[in-house]
Amino acid sequence: MSTPVSTSRTKSRDGVSRVQDPEGTRQNIIEVAAQEFALNGLSGARIDEIAAKTRSSKRMIYYYFGSKEGLYVSALENAYRQVREGEAKLDIEGLPPLDALKRLVEFTFDHHHQHEEFIRMVMIENIHHGEFLERSGVIRDLNVTAIGNIEAIYAKGLADGLFRAGLDPLEIHWQISALCFFNVSNRATFSKIFGKDVGSPAYQESLRRQTVEMVLRFVVKAEKLGGV
């Protein structure tokens, strides 16, 4: 029998009874903050605005996170955690290497497409030269699994004589990320410049197929491509 999460009720100034759920409140702050940071950047985001949109107060935000920078780092950590947790749920260990790599690329494409705030936060962090990400051991630890997954898939593909030798799993991860990241980061400018809505369902489905194909053609031996 599961144990319910401990909560309590208090009366607010308007007399309304509210449930006190520290972890839920903290997560709510992080999620709202991620949207604010993605929209306005670290310097442009305002704690007052974040507090107004959450089940909290400015004082509570500082209590949980210490500063706006501390909240920003927590939001970054949560964004990367969502990606890695999604990868962990793919259950690709038992798949043939080609299917496992294809599923990983598809997941990355879909996740980035569905979480534009993640892409924007990564862009903002690059503007800051990774300064705040560097402070987080959590993010470094989380991303070890990203390379570990590709290393395992690549090793199986080599053993099966399917993948090209001499590739670096980190560089494979780079190429997958580059294709999927650009699909979100430059979607608006491409659509305006070339007069095509590349964010439309039909365009996205086409780009998704092409992204998978490009990664497979990069990794798979030329003589094995007929089966891809």
Side-chain angles (χ1 to χ4, degrees):
M1 184 175 178
S2 60
T3 303
V5 176
S6 176
T7 60
S8 62
R9 292 182 179 273
T10 60
K11 289 283 187 178
S12 64
R13 291 179 181 176
D14 57 11
V16 177
S17 179
R18 303 188 188 282
V19 175
Q20 297 299 302
D21 175 11
E23 186 52 39
T25 299
R26 187 178 187 278
Q27 187 62 29
N28 175 242
I29 294 169
I30 288 174
E31 290 170 0
V32 171
Q35 296 290 338
E36 289 297 309
F37 287 129
L39 183 63
N40 299 304
L42 175 57
S43 59
R46 296 288 179 264
I47 294 295
D48 286 335
E49 188 71 18
I50 294 170
K53 295 179 179 180
T54 60
R55 304 187 301 269
S56 65
S57 64
K58 186 174 180 179
R59 180 179 180 182
M60 185 178 293
I61 291 173
Y62 283 120
Y63 172 77
Y64 280 128
F65 303 99
S67 63
K68 184 167 75 169
E69 289 77 11
L71 176 56
Y72 172 74
V73 171
S74 292
L76 266 180
E77 290 173 347
N78 187 65
Y80 276 100
R81 185 179 293 108
Q82 287 181 329
V83 181
R84 302 289 87 93
E85 287 178 351
E87 290 173 352
K89 293 176 182 177
L90 292 177
D91 193 24
I92 57 179
E93 284 188 21
L95 292 178
L98 195 63
D99 293 338
L101 182 58
K102 180 180 178 181
R103 184 173 293 184
L104 181 62
V105 177
E106 289 173 340
F107 164 79
T108 306
F109 188 96
D110 292 342
H111 183 277
H112 289 3
H113 173 63
Q114 294 162 9
H115 295 83
E116 186 173 344
E117 73 281 358
F118 170 67
I119 303 302
R120 292 179 64 87
M121 286 192 70
V122 173
M123 292 169 67
I124 290 165
E125 183 57 15
N126 274 283
I127 291 173
H128 292 282
H129 306 288
E131 173 189 348
F132 297 95
L133 185 149
E134 191 175 24
R135 300 179 187 179
S136 173
V138 170
I139 293 177
R140 286 192 296 273
D141 292 343
L142 283 169
N143 285 283
V144 167
T145 63
I147 306 305
N149 288 336
I150 293 178
E151 285 177 341
I153 294 170
Y154 183 58
K156 287 183 180 179
L158 287 177
D160 289 351
L162 180 64
F163 291 167
R164 296 194 296 124
L167 300 180
D168 183 343
L170 178 60
E171 292 178 352
I172 297 173
H173 177 62
W174 171 278
Q175 301 301 345
I176 294 171
S177 296
L179 290 166
C180 298
F181 192 98
F182 191 92
N183 177 59
V184 180
S185 66
N186 287 55
R187 190 159 57 209
T189 51
F190 250 58
S191 295
K192 297 295 184 183
I193 291 170
F194 299 107
K196 297 285 186 179
D197 181 10
V198 297
S200 70
Y203 241 112
Q204 285 296 295
E205 181 58 34
S206 177
L207 291 169
R208 186 178 188 263
R209 288 196 305 270
Q210 292 171 23
T211 298
V212 171
E213 182 178 354
M214 282 189 278
V215 173
L216 295 184
R217 286 182 176 275
F218 171 61
V219 177
V220 176
K221 288 181 175 179
E223 61 270 24
K224 300 288 186 179
L225 285 173
V228 174

